[in-house]
Amino acid sequence: MIDKTQIILKPLWHNKIMYIAIEFDYDCDTLKNFTSDLPHVKWSKTYNIFCTHHNKSRINELFQCFRNQGWYVNYEAFRVLKKTKHLPEVKQTSIINKLPILSDDQRVSISHFKKWLEQKRFSHNTVNTYVDVTSSFLRYLNYQNLNLISARSIEQFNYDFIFNAKKSISYQNQCISGIKHYIDFKNIEVDSFDIKRPSKDRKLPNVLSKSDVKNLFDATKNLKHKTLLILVYSSGLRIGEALKLRIKDIDFERGLIHIKSAKGKKDRYTLLSKALIPILKSYINHYTPNSYLFEGRFGDPYTQVSARQVFKKSLLNAGIKKYSTLHTLRHSFATHLLEAGTDIRYIQELLGHNSPKTTMIYTHVSTTKLIDIKNPFDSL
């Protein structure tokens, strides 16, 4: 019997480039997880929707992927688009839209590569990223009619697919890492493979004021959503860490939270706010989670997509227009601790940073010392 779940594929215009937007009921965790794992499908923070580059074959690929799961797919918007005479001027999209699909052997190899990465205990997001960029590289080889991986082909891919497409420095480094791991996985020897990694831009983190943080929590009425947001802020957690927490990781007596296998596969303890304890206990009594502290509909960990949706809705309800993400709460936690006089070495431990240099960035956004500086204009 065909599932009544409906997926809508529709055009999405961004900077005069057409993408395929994938719309469905975002309360369905199964569908969200399935879509996020699809190759070349990304979550757009700007439009709050899954999307991918547009081409005719891509629509067919998505249609088959979803239909194979028994879901109904509606792509009527693209049929209507063909009949429309006045279309926006379209820029040439990335070279990725011109790449042929993977061969059967390449699909098998990528599948084994994914398992190999998982066995090395890379995070779910890192595995998907490395698989995604390596698949693009192999498709690029097909496009260039190349049978062997060479330093030259990697350098050319880096130029055509990343530099010319104006991808971010972070994405470029991910591509290089993904391909290097694939070379190790296949035990391929590549002569003179030495693509220099570009230095990342040193950007200061966005931080919310204490009053903004309070307004954010006050505007969040749902108990589960409020508990999640307060926990992320009051403990300085990465969202992935918060969603992996189990009830047994909360030490109510000592006022600590045990973070296990965090970034860099490290364990650490962080703070459990005294003011959060009654809220947290009320949440647990009301929702009765079985294993994970924050669970989805079927007992799996609450998804990051759902958490981002919660955060965005709370920002809107609180009237906060400053650009913020869930990670902004972690930045705000660290900055507010520093402004309260907490030693930066303790902040480093609470955040789980390897180097104090990483934590020192918060000294650049803290206002504690800045407000003590006398402006020379005031003495004119």
Side-chain angles (χ1 to χ4, degrees):
M1 182 177 178
I2 297 178
D3 194 329
K4 292 182 180 180
T5 301
Q6 175 173 267
I7 295 126
I8 299 175
L9 304 181
K10 62 182 184 181
L12 171 67
W13 300 96
H14 181 70
N15 292 335
K16 295 185 178 181
I17 298 177
M18 186 163 69
Y19 297 82
I20 303 172
I22 307 170
E23 188 177 89
F24 53 82
D25 181 0
Y26 287 103
D27 287 335
C28 180
D29 289 340
T30 302
L31 187 46
K32 280 191 293 190
N33 293 334
F34 178 83
T35 305
S36 65
D37 287 340
L38 290 174
H40 313 301
V41 171
K42 303 293 183 184
W43 176 258
S44 169
K45 295 180 181 178
T46 303
Y47 299 100
N48 288 308
I49 200 169
F50 285 107
C51 62
T52 184
H53 285 284
H54 168 265
N55 59 53
K56 185 177 179 181
S57 63
R58 189 68 179 130
I59 295 175
N60 293 334
E61 287 176 10
L62 291 172
F63 178 83
Q64 290 299 328
C65 285
F66 289 124
R67 288 295 290 149
N68 289 341
Q69 300 297 315
W71 295 320
Y72 176 77
V73 184
N74 180 345
Y75 59 97
E76 182 65 24
F78 286 100
R79 292 178 179 174
V80 173
L81 192 64
K82 285 184 178 180
K83 301 176 183 179
T84 305
K85 295 182 180 179
H86 303 289
L87 294 175
E89 179 185 352
V90 183
K91 291 181 181 179
Q92 289 294 322
T93 55
S94 168
I95 191 175
I96 188 65
N97 294 323
K98 303 177 182 178
L99 302 183
I101 63 174
L102 296 172
S103 68
D104 290 341
D105 288 343
Q106 288 172 332
R107 287 180 185 276
V108 171
S109 182
I110 285 293
S111 177
H112 291 163
F113 176 52
K114 182 176 182 179
K115 293 178 181 177
W116 182 79
L117 291 171
E118 290 171 340
Q119 290 171 0
K120 285 187 169 289
R121 302 299 179 93
F122 285 107
S123 71
H124 177 73
N125 289 338
T126 299
V127 169
N128 285 340
T129 299
Y130 285 174
V131 167
D132 186 33
V133 297
T134 304
S135 298
S136 297
F137 173 62
L138 296 181
R139 292 173 64 196
Y140 179 81
L141 295 181
N142 297 343
Y143 177 72
Q144 298 287 7
N145 293 318
L146 299 173
N147 295 321
L148 298 176
I149 296 176
S150 65
R152 174 61 182 163
S153 66
I154 297 171
E155 291 168 356
Q156 193 61 42
F157 171 77
N158 181 57
Y159 185 82
D160 289 343
F161 182 73
I162 302 171
F163 181 76
N164 272 352
K166 298 181 180 179
K167 301 287 187 179
S168 69
I169 290 175
S170 176
Y171 185 76
Q172 182 172 351
N173 284 328
Q174 288 176 327
C175 283
I176 294 172
S177 296
I179 295 171
K180 281 188 171 183
H181 278 96
Y182 185 74
I183 289 172
D184 290 341
F185 163 69
K186 297 290 288 185
N187 197 24
I188 299 172
E189 292 187 6
V190 178
D191 295 334
S192 304
F193 174 42
D194 188 26
I195 296 178
K196 299 296 183 183
R197 296 176 182 269
S199 300
K200 291 184 177 179
D201 296 335
R202 186 176 176 82
K203 296 181 179 179
L204 295 179
N206 287 330
V207 173
L208 294 175
S209 66
K210 286 187 177 180
S211 61
D212 278 342
V213 172
K214 184 178 184 305
N215 290 337
L216 180 78
F217 298 153
D218 289 343
T220 309
K221 303 304 179 184
N222 181 283
L223 178 59
K224 181 177 182 179
H225 299 165
K226 182 191 288 283
T227 306
L228 173 61
L229 296 183
I230 294 177
L231 182 68
V232 170
Y233 167 75
S234 64
S235 303
L237 301 179
R238 302 176 180 94
I239 185 56
E241 296 170 348
L243 299 182
K244 287 181 182 177
L245 279 178
R246 298 178 183 270
I247 300 173
K248 62 183 180 181
D249 298 330
I250 310 296
D251 190 333
F252 289 101
E253 291 186 6
R254 298 173 63 201
L256 296 173
I257 301 175
H258 191 184
I259 312 299
K260 300 177 181 177
S261 297
K263 190 173 182 179
K265 299 180 177 62
K266 296 184 302 180
D267 285 10
R268 75 177 190 278
Y269 281 97
T270 189
L271 305 176
L272 172 63
S273 166
K274 293 180 180 178
L276 174 60
I277 290 177
I279 301 174
L280 188 55
K281 287 185 175 180
S282 176
Y283 158 74
I284 293 173
N285 290 334
H286 182 77
Y287 283 88
T288 61
N290 292 317
S291 181
Y292 292 100
L293 185 59
F294 299 101
E295 295 179 339
R297 186 174 299 177
F298 303 106
D300 294 326
Y302 203 56
T303 67
Q304 292 196 25
V305 172
S306 298
R308 293 189 191 104
Q309 290 283 77
V310 166
F311 182 71
K312 182 177 181 183
K313 183 178 179 181
S314 294
L315 281 176
L316 185 65
N317 291 340
I320 299 173
K321 300 187 182 301
K322 183 176 183 178
Y323 175 76
S324 304
T325 66
L326 276 167
H327 210 67
T328 302
L329 293 178
R330 175 175 158 90
H331 292 320
S332 302
F333 165 80
T335 304
H336 296 163
L337 279 179
L338 187 64
E339 291 175 345
T342 306
D343 191 299
I344 198 162
R345 290 171 296 178
Y346 293 127
I347 299 175
Q348 177 190 347
E349 289 295 321
L350 292 172
L351 295 178
H353 286 163
N354 277 326
S355 168
K357 292 181 180 179
T358 308
T359 317
M360 285 295 291
I361 194 170
Y362 296 109
T363 61
H364 297 282
V365 293
S366 170
T367 61
T368 303
K369 298 303 180 183
L370 293 179
I371 60 177
D372 294 333
I373 299 174
K374 187 174 183 181
N375 193 303
F377 182 73
D378 295 338
S379 60
L380 292 181

